[in-house]
Amino acid sequence: MNRRDWLRGVLVTGTGLACEVPAVALSDGDHCHWQTAITRLKLRHTWTTTMSSSQYRDTLSLRLSAQGITGIGEGAPIVRYKESAESARDAVESLRPFLLSADPWQFQKLITGVLRRLEGQYAAKAAIDIALLDWAGKKFGVPLYRYFGLDAADAPITTFSIGIDNPETTRAKVREASAFPVLKIKVGLDTDEATLEAVRSVTKKPLRVDANEGWKDKEEAVRKINWLESQGVEFVEQPMPAAMLEETRWVRSRVHIPIIADEACLSAAAVPHLVNSYDGVNVKLDKCGGILEAKRTLDVAKALGMKTMLGCMVSSSVSVTAAAHLSPLVDYADLDGNLLISNDPYTGVQVREGKLILPEGPGLGLTPA
Ligand code: MG
């Protein structure tokens, strides 16, 4: 995809109108060129969790050009952490002098500098990290999984997520997801039993459940999880609010399936605090700030004997493929954010009978859709 095509694909946020807008370029002669834009991704279905409901998502797109190579990055802002595509773009632009003076070969040093300089703004950090590692992988001439010494054959299956909806639409979504051997069901509202019954009326597949902090009472959480155990559910993600560590520990001692931390686990530093309350962690590039910090978070969790999972936000193949390159490291993957949109600008990681198939091209291995 050339620059003109890329610009044509980006949309102005706020007005809801699609149009071509000038991307913001940070450049320094021949040395380094960083370009930000906001991309509006259209959802195939209105997406509802306990946190929000929407028909589109805006992400920050980033291009780093240096020494004849362009690295592509993306960050999907998380509303829970008060981020937006605009705040992510502004955060990248606030680093203009630092980014322009940096050498992309020193990507580890550069990312450490970015993490230190930016308060919050994990989507912006992730976009910078992904663009840098795509650039470096292209320079090295190897796909990122190979740079990390991983075997693409170890990539796990990914779940396909079913957002909260009425029983009829839930059944239709489950039928549409027939290619996926394991489904992830969003719960956490007072419709949980109806949702699970709708799913179970059309499939016997293993299920994983994500409550997104939806159950506020520990006895209610135990009751719901004990019932889910009887419904063929493999694990429950974030049953209670992230701050309720002690209550989650109490719940964990009374249930039989693993409890996975998502909202409670932002990055590597959080993991040691979770070890008594959770069995595993769900790591996302947009929570922790990119591929390098995600790898560190997975390493800490593994060192502490916890189960590991890679998840994603609704995003294009840029961000999902970036996470997929680490997927040979994890027990579980939920990398379907690109499959939930209808205007993905790139092709990257593929899914075959549920299994993640990593691209073989250098860096992220993306090609224009
Ligand atoms: Mg989750």
Side-chain angles (χ1 to χ4, degrees):
M1 181 184 289
N2 64 31
R3 181 176 173 277
R4 178 180 294 273
D5 289 343
W6 185 72
L7 288 174
R8 197 170 285 133
V10 303
L11 309 176
V12 179
T13 55
T15 63
L17 297 174
C19 64
E20 189 171 309
V21 293
V24 177
L26 319 179
S27 66
D28 180 22
D30 295 335
H31 184 56
C32 220
H33 189 84
W34 293 83
Q35 201 172 48
T36 59
I38 292 172
T39 302
R40 177 154 293 179
L41 302 172
K42 295 177 199 154
L43 288 157
R44 292 180 192 276
H45 287 285
T46 300
W47 181 245
T48 303
T49 71
T50 57
M51 285 181 276
S52 63
S53 183
S54 58
Q55 290 174 310
Y56 65 85
R57 289 291 169 85
D58 291 333
T59 62
L60 174 68
S61 299
L62 195 57
R63 285 164 78 96
L64 156 66
S65 300
Q67 302 170 33
I69 296 282
T70 297
I72 309 289
E74 180 183 37
I78 303 181
V79 174
R80 186 182 190 278
Y81 308 117
K82 300 183 171 49
E83 295 182 16
S84 66
E86 289 79 9
S87 73
R89 181 190 56 199
D90 293 348
V92 172
E93 286 161 15
S94 74
L95 295 176
R96 179 189 296 259
F98 174 70
L99 291 175
L100 292 181
S101 64
D103 177 355
W105 272 120
Q106 298 168 2
F107 55 87
Q108 176 75 66
K109 178 181 175 183
L110 210 165
I111 287 296
T112 303
V114 167
L115 294 179
R116 200 172 54 237
R117 281 170 172 80
L118 271 187
E119 181 79 27
Q121 298 300 337
Y122 290 95
K125 290 166 178 164
I128 294 169
D129 165 288
I130 294 168
L132 275 166
L133 286 182
D134 185 37
W135 184 91
K138 286 170 175 165
K139 275 290 192 187
F140 288 128
V142 294
L144 278 182
Y145 76 82
R146 196 176 294 279
Y147 166 77
F148 286 108
L150 302 175
D151 181 353
D154 293 338
I157 61 160
T158 178
T159 43
F160 185 81
S161 297
I162 307 291
I164 297 172
D165 223 311
N166 62 54
E168 188 186 335
T169 308
T170 299
R171 280 192 289 272
K173 287 179 176 178
V174 171
R175 287 195 193 98
E176 266 181 49
S178 61
F180 293 82
V182 185
L183 300 178
K184 174 163 142 176
I185 312 298
K186 293 279 190 182
V187 297
L189 300 180
D190 53 13
T191 54
D192 294 348
E193 278 85 358
T195 298
L196 255 289
E197 278 161 13
V199 173
R200 275 291 172 240
S201 71
V202 285
T203 184
K204 293 187 166 64
K205 287 173 186 175
L207 303 176
R208 298 168 186 172
V209 160
D210 187 355
N212 285 113
E213 309 183 281
W215 304 325
K216 317 290 187 211
D217 176 85
K218 62 185 182 181
E219 272 141 15
E220 178 197 13
V222 169
R223 251 192 331 272
K224 294 238 185 188
I225 296 170
N226 286 156
W227 180 72
L228 291 170
E229 287 165 355
S230 72
Q231 299 295 310
V233 170
E234 294 183 334
F235 67 70
V236 177
E237 206 178 304
Q238 202 63 53
M240 303 196 76
M244 297 177 79
L245 258 191
E246 268 313 304
E247 291 86 346
T248 305
R249 181 180 180 159
W250 187 91
V251 169
R252 184 185 174 217
S253 68
R254 287 164 175 78
V255 302
H256 307 95
I257 52 177
I259 309 284
I260 307 290
D262 180 358
E263 285 83 352
C265 179
L266 296 190
S267 59
V271 179
H273 304 289
L274 304 175
V275 76
N276 292 319
S277 301
Y278 295 89
D279 297 284
V281 293
N282 181 0
V283 175
K284 295 176 182 167
L285 273 48
D286 291 303
K287 274 192 305 181
C288 69
I291 300 168
L292 294 178
E293 180 62 22
K295 168 81 164 48
R296 185 164 29 225
T297 309
L298 294 172
D299 289 342
V300 172
K302 282 166 172 282
L304 293 171
M306 299 180 86
K307 293 182 184 303
T308 52
M309 172 173 175
L310 272 166
C312 63
M313 304 307 293
V314 173
S315 49
S316 80
S317 280
V318 178
S319 178
V320 175
T321 303
H325 278 283
L326 292 180
S327 71
L329 287 169
V330 300
D331 300 302
Y332 311 116
D334 179 34
L335 296 177
D336 62 349
N338 56 332
L339 306 175
L340 303 174
I341 61 170
S342 60
N343 60 337
D344 195 341
Y346 291 97
T347 301
V349 62
Q350 300 289 297
V351 180
R352 202 172 299 145
E353 292 171 5
K355 186 176 166 65
L356 294 165
I357 309 295
L358 305 185
E360 285 299 322
L364 295 174
L366 299 170
T367 52

